[in-house]
Amino acid sequence: MVHEVGLGWEFFAALTAFDEQIAREVAAGGCPRCGGPLHRADYGRKPRGALQGAAAEAFALRHSLCCGREGCRARALPPSLRFLGRRVYVEAVVLLASAVAQLARVPREARAATGVPARTLRRWGAWWRETFPRTSVWFALRATFSPPPPDEAELPRSLLDRFAVDHDVPGGRSKLAAICELAARCLAPMTTQSVPDGSRFVRSVFARSARPPIHAKDGDSA
Ligand SMILES: [Zn+2]
């Protein structure tokens, strides 16, 4: 599955629309520190998309919010489907390129297939298998799978494979894009601590969204 070609403009446009919606809803909740009004304070980033996500480089705006009350001015960073913390590569690439690297026999092969330096791929691999399994986002996500959950020693490939098995993809859409979008929804709370209980917040935003990505075969595990 991960050998399908990369993610297109439409994929990142959809993620950007979700980011916009999330930012609006975080703003509507007011300043987490003082309850004052949250104003937009978006800023530009220079995201890298490597080979799988080159189209992401057209979507550089990071949504950000700033309290308008004098003396507070607290900043709030809404969860994002495109960015994973401060990494310069977009999240979809941190996910996909890491999965490609797991299938590669030698580092050179992984580098050629992803356009990401081998050292970076190694660092991401360690993050997926050593750090990510200890996060609250993974605890929340793992609980949504019927047992057994994806193998933590094989992340992130085990997660993508499981999404592919558990979910039906609507006709006409790339399965890879649909699965990456679902993963982005699940990982969005990773990107910021600004929203308490981020997993629940992001799920509630998508529950009201007009565009469900893919459907769980048994109930809704997304
Ligand atoms: Zn404030």
Side-chain angles (χ1 to χ4, degrees):
M1 178 190 71
V2 292
H3 282 312
E4 275 186 54
V5 282
L7 298 160
W9 187 91
E10 273 181 22
F11 171 80
F12 291 102
L15 297 198
T16 303
F18 281 129
D19 279 1
E20 175 70 37
Q21 186 180 350
I22 291 171
R24 274 201 306 270
E25 300 215 12
V26 173
C31 173
R33 190 190 293 169
C34 77
L38 283 177
H39 300 307
R40 294 295 285 268
D42 298 344
Y43 56 92
R45 288 190 54 164
K46 286 195 170 64
R48 276 190 220 158
L51 294 182
Q52 273 82 20
E57 295 174 10
F59 299 93
L61 203 65
R62 176 63 166 107
H63 297 107
S64 176
L65 301 160
C66 181
C67 178
R69 188 165 285 171
E70 206 58 55
C72 177
R73 302 285 182 199
R75 295 186 75 94
L77 198 62
S80 168
L81 275 68
R82 286 173 296 152
F83 300 107
L84 190 60
R86 302 162 80 89
R87 288 176 177 80
V88 292
Y89 289 91
V90 290
E91 179 204 280
V93 169
V94 177
L95 180 71
L96 270 188
S98 297
V100 169
Q102 285 175 278
L103 297 173
R105 283 159 302 190
V106 291
R108 185 161 39 87
E109 193 179 292
R111 202 226 130 89
T114 62
V116 178
R119 198 183 44 193
T120 304
L121 290 170
R122 266 201 308 279
R123 202 173 61 236
W124 291 350
W127 182 83
W128 280 114
R129 292 180 282 282
E130 292 161 25
T131 304
F132 178 65
R134 297 201 300 268
T135 62
S136 59
V137 169
W138 173 245
F139 287 137
L141 177 57
R142 189 179 55 184
T144 65
F145 294 102
S146 51
D151 183 357
E152 292 177 359
E154 293 295 329
L155 286 168
R157 195 176 53 78
S158 55
L159 179 64
L160 293 176
D161 286 349
R162 184 60 179 271
F163 280 152
V165 169
D166 285 0
H167 293 78
D168 287 320
V169 177
R173 291 184 62 194
S174 150
K175 178 137 186 154
L176 182 68
I179 286 165
C180 286
E181 186 179 306
L182 179 58
R185 290 178 180 223
C186 297
L187 297 174
M190 296 287 316
T191 54
T192 171
Q193 307 296 316
S194 291
V195 176
D197 199 356
S199 292
R200 182 184 301 241
F201 178 86
V202 170
R203 268 202 311 276
S204 76
V205 172
F206 293 133
R208 294 188 295 279
S209 153
R211 186 172 178 271
I214 53 181
H215 303 283
K217 282 174 181 160
D218 299 302
D220 180 16
S221 65

